[in-house]
Amino acid sequence: MKFLGTLAVATAALTLASTASAQSFQKPEDAVRYRQGAFRVLAAHFGALGAMANNRAPFDAQAAARHADVIAAIAPLPFHAFTAGTDKGETRARGEIWSEQAKFRGAAEKMQAEVTKLAAAAKTGNLDNIKATFGAAAGSCKACHDDFRRD
Ligand code: ASC
């Protein structure tokens, strides 16, 4: 059952990701809004899980696993929306996203790998396992912000 559950989440995430990659945006602002929305959802769930990982909120194993699954499913989505010409307007995206594509994609993939580990850890229902993987996941968010997001 556990395996089937994992498979279902993985399949849902893959479906989401391939749907999103097929997506095109009418206007550059639409892509900017899309990725900002995805990051906002990520931050909300990451913050809620982080509060538990850092003992600022009581541990609820089921809620933690749900947060981690949402994070893992949403994580690929914003990266489909850094399309050409979306470096202008109401965005903190730095030009390096486009001038250092390989580095940016690498940082995005690193984040997705870390949140996948975090989701696996959260499924064990053990807070120590979550704590053991949360730091690297948070670090992968921060690394990308440091290099590719304006203050
Ligand atoms: C969050 C959030 C981020 C990351 C980052 C991790 O919850 O909104 O941007 O974690 O602070 O270092």
Side-chain angles (χ1 to χ4, degrees), residues 17-131:
S18 55
T19 305
S21 61
Q23 166 140 19
S24 63
F25 299 98
Q26 297 256 311
K27 295 176 284 179
E29 310 87 270
D30 294 344
V32 171
R33 268 195 293 269
Y34 176 94
R35 69 198 187 212
Q36 288 173 346
F39 281 130
R40 216 161 263 144
V41 172
L42 272 179
H45 291 274
F46 207 76
L49 185 56
M52 292 188 228
N54 293 304
N55 301 319
R56 283 185 281 104
F59 180 53
D60 174 336
Q62 282 197 338
R66 275 199 303 274
H67 288 307
D69 277 344
V70 172
I71 293 163
I74 302 297
L77 301 188
F79 302 102
H80 298 299
F82 287 95
T83 46
T86 63
D87 56 337
K88 298 172 203 70
E90 308 244 325
T91 177
R92 284 189 286 167
R94 297 170 75 117
E96 284 81 354
I97 289 170
W98 293 273
S99 63
E100 296 176 27
Q101 272 279 305
K103 186 178 171 191
F104 179 64
R105 295 287 158 198
E109 278 162 25
K110 166 88 174 146
M111 184 273 273
Q112 289 164 58
E114 297 302 343
V115 301
T116 300
K117 289 182 213 164
L118 179 59
K123 277 190 184 62
T124 66
N126 182 314
L127 182 57
D128 287 334
N129 290 341
I130 295 173
K131 290 182 179 185

Side-chain angles (χ1 to χ4, degrees), residues 42-43 46-47 137-139 141-142 145 149:
L42 272 179
F46 207 76
C141 301
K142 185 176 184 301
H145 295 164
R149 187 179 73 173

